[in-house]
Amino acid sequence: MVKAGTSKAGTKGVARPERERQIVDIAGRVFAEHGYAGTSLTAVAEQAGISKPLIYNYFGSKEGLFAACLTCAGEVLVEVIERTARLGLVGQQRAVVTLDQFYAALEPRPWMWRVFRDPTMPATPEIAAQHDQYARRMHAVGVEGVRELLHLAGNDDPLDASAMTAVWVNVFDALVTWWIDHPGESRASMTARTIRLSGAVFGPMETAPPVGPAFD
Amino acid sequence: MVKAGTSKAGTKGVARPERERQIVDIAGRVFAEHGYAGTSLTAVAEQAGISKPLIYNYFGSKEGLFAACLTCAGEVLVEVIERTARLGLVGQQRAVVTLDQFYAALEPRPWMWRVFRDPTMPATPEIAAQHDQYARRMHAVGVEGVRELLHLAGNDDPLDASAMTAVWVNVFDALVTWWIDHPGESRASMTARTIRLSGAVFGPMETAPPVGPAFD
DNA sequence: AGTAAGTGACTTCTGGGTAAGTTACCATGG
DNA sequence: CCATGGTAACTTACCCAGAAGTCACTTACT
């Protein structure tokens, strides 16, 4: 033994699963703020109050840590969008309710959205495949709604539907990002704002949408 | 002298201003693809067919090179948006014409948009101030148009206008990014698509917009 | 000859990743 | 109730590739 008592090694009584959740949450925040490429694991470890090797112990690599964050984000976001789609709403109502559900899901962890859309995420096949899987499922739901809208306007061009879906996703992005930049706003006030803006653009809705808790 | 004739040093007959433009153009492309944080100047130099010290000679640092790209992008984009605003169009027409002008401006250098919105750009005060300056001017123009739209709907909330502007900017972003991802599309086909989508969402326009060359 | 354009070969430092060890918890057997 | 060893949680101190940044030098044009 060397100078017993001076070393700070040794368990702190935190079990692995809890510590992993903790690290993913911190890392997600840092990834969201600086992007994958701009993030150093030293900084993450510092923020999390632990040492770098522990991260490697649990996640294997920087990419592995990002993959964990991506899985966390992807699962939540896909779940929300697919569940909301099953409500069977259409048009403006569908849009507003989906946004409201997103706000609810992102309220505790706003970093999820940024991580999912990080343009600097690693370009490896593993990450790409993982991201693609979630993106496809979300895109499929989005395209379905968009195609219906375009069809009503007499447009069945698949490229138009693709572009329109991109627009729609970015509208989400704008509102979520705006929300992150205005931390004073609650989920409720964001949803109210969404309804006002939607009304200003498309005209007011006939019936109030069934906005409620995240899980009905 | 050491082994005269084997060295590859010496001018290649390219004047500094031209070489600078060249480097900015290449660097812009690389920054756009990998983000500032993910880009190495060695790679840029390689792509440009020159050596790294020349970049440092002309731009001082990696940040300086990025600043040059940002200036280039910011000037062009602000000029487009302010000039288009002066046309005095409103509503749907204004939106479509602005987008068309953006497509025209970005056709030769699509990287400008990505560089301007790079989330990994250096967080130094200099860069932040520079970016802010351009962003403010663009936002101001956007907010002006948006406020009018909202006012017509009886909404004068400044926060609503701010959020709506963010949405509007991201709609741009979506279409430009979609375009970058679909290199087969020309500016003309993008504008046509924009008009179709705008019509599907807001209803067809009464009068055709005056879409023309970048400079009238 | 003077200067602008240009480079090879360095130094330095950051950040991903690792080896080897330290400490606390927890089961057992006495 | 206490020693004792096994394991899981943790750290310090390091390696090393690659990228930022620099220096001394060379070549071509005028």
Side-chain angles (χ1 to χ4, degrees):
Chain A
M1 76 181 70
V2 244
K3 284 202 252 175
T6 63
S7 169
K8 288 176 179 167
T11 179
K12 293 173 184 164
V14 181
R16 176 162 181 165
E18 190 186 336
R19 189 61 100 187
E20 281 183 351
R21 269 193 302 268
Q22 211 177 67
I23 295 174
V24 164
D25 194 45
I26 301 276
R29 265 183 256 178
V30 183
F31 280 142
E33 188 171 351
H34 305 289
Y36 176 81
T39 295
S40 88
L41 287 207
T42 308
V44 172
E46 216 164 89
Q47 289 254 338
I50 52 155
S51 70
K52 205 171 47 161
L54 193 60
I55 299 181
Y56 281 91
N57 211 354
Y58 287 172
F59 299 96
S61 65
K62 184 181 180 186
E63 194 184 313
L65 177 58
F66 185 84
C69 295
L70 190 56
T71 299
C72 177
E75 291 294 336
V76 167
L77 298 174
V78 163
E79 194 276 335
V80 167
I81 203 170
E82 291 185 342
R83 173 165 49 77
T84 308
R86 278 197 298 274
L87 294 180
L89 301 171
V90 293
Q92 212 178 146
Q93 287 215 342
R94 176 170 176 165
V96 168
V97 170
T98 305
L99 270 164
D100 173 68
Q101 293 295 308
F102 258 79
Y103 297 144
L106 291 173
E107 195 156 37
R109 281 168 201 167
W111 56 261
M112 287 182 171
W113 183 255
R114 295 279 188 111
V115 164
F116 191 75
R117 312 248 311 154
D118 184 354
T120 70
M121 77 176 68
T124 63
E126 294 83 26
I127 294 288
Q130 193 189 348
H131 181 267
D132 232 54
Q133 182 216 330
Y134 293 123
R136 261 173 218 283
R137 288 167 69 184
M138 288 165 95
H139 200 79
V141 176
V143 129
E144 174 198 330
V146 162
R147 229 197 294 259
E148 187 201 352
L149 175 78
L150 289 182
H151 182 73
L152 289 177
N155 182 332
D156 288 308
D157 185 332
L159 277 181
D160 278 10
S162 161
M164 192 66 205
T165 306
V167 168
W168 171 228
V169 169
N170 259 36
V171 168
F172 267 57
D173 192 36
L175 289 168
V176 170
T177 302
W178 190 92
W179 183 27
I180 293 172
D181 292 341
H182 294 73
E185 306 292 315
S186 68
R187 171 202 168 192
S189 76
M190 278 308 292
T191 298
R193 190 181 310 287
T194 305
I195 293 176
R196 281 197 303 278
L197 294 180
S198 166
V201 172
F202 300 106
M205 285 183 281
E206 317 78 42
T207 51
V211 214
F215 288 76
D216 315 323
Chain B
M1 78 182 66
V2 247
K3 285 203 250 174
T6 61
S7 169
K8 286 174 180 167
T11 180
K12 294 172 183 166
V14 181
R16 176 163 177 165
E18 189 186 335
R19 190 60 99 188
E20 281 184 350
R21 270 193 301 270
Q22 211 179 68
I23 295 174
V24 164
D25 194 46
I26 300 278
R29 264 181 259 177
V30 183
F31 281 142
E33 188 172 351
H34 305 290
Y36 176 82
T39 295
S40 90
L41 288 206
T42 308
V44 172
E46 215 165 89
Q47 289 254 336
I50 54 157
S51 70
K52 206 173 43 160
L54 194 61
I55 299 181
Y56 280 90
N57 213 356
Y58 288 170
F59 299 95
S61 64
K62 183 182 180 184
E63 194 184 314
L65 177 59
F66 185 84
C69 295
L70 190 57
T71 298
C72 177
E75 291 295 335
V76 167
L77 297 175
V78 164
E79 194 275 336
V80 167
I81 203 169
E82 290 184 344
R83 174 166 48 77
T84 308
R86 279 197 299 273
L87 294 179
L89 300 170
V90 292
Q92 209 177 148
Q93 286 214 344
R94 176 171 177 165
V96 168
V97 170
T98 304
L99 270 164
D100 174 67
Q101 294 295 307
F102 258 80
Y103 296 144
L106 290 173
E107 194 157 39
R109 281 166 202 168
W111 56 261
M112 286 181 172
W113 184 255
R114 294 279 188 112
V115 165
F116 191 76
R117 313 243 316 152
D118 184 353
T120 71
M121 79 176 67
T124 65
E126 295 83 27
I127 294 288
Q130 193 188 349
H131 182 268
D132 232 54
Q133 182 215 333
Y134 293 123
R136 261 171 218 283
R137 288 166 70 185
M138 288 164 97
H139 200 78
V141 176
V143 133
E144 176 198 330
V146 162
R147 231 197 293 257
E148 189 201 349
L149 175 77
L150 289 182
H151 181 73
L152 289 177
N155 182 334
D156 288 308
D157 184 332
L159 279 181
D160 277 11
S162 163
M164 191 69 204
T165 306
V167 168
W168 171 228
V169 168
N170 259 37
V171 168
F172 268 57
D173 192 35
L175 288 168
V176 169
T177 302
W178 190 91
W179 184 27
I180 293 173
D181 292 340
H182 294 74
E185 306 291 316
S186 68
R187 171 202 167 191
S189 75
M190 276 310 289
T191 298
R193 190 181 311 286
T194 305
I195 294 176
R196 281 198 303 278
L197 294 181
S198 166
V201 173
F202 301 104
M205 284 183 281
E206 319 75 44
T207 52
V211 215
F215 288 77
D216 312 325

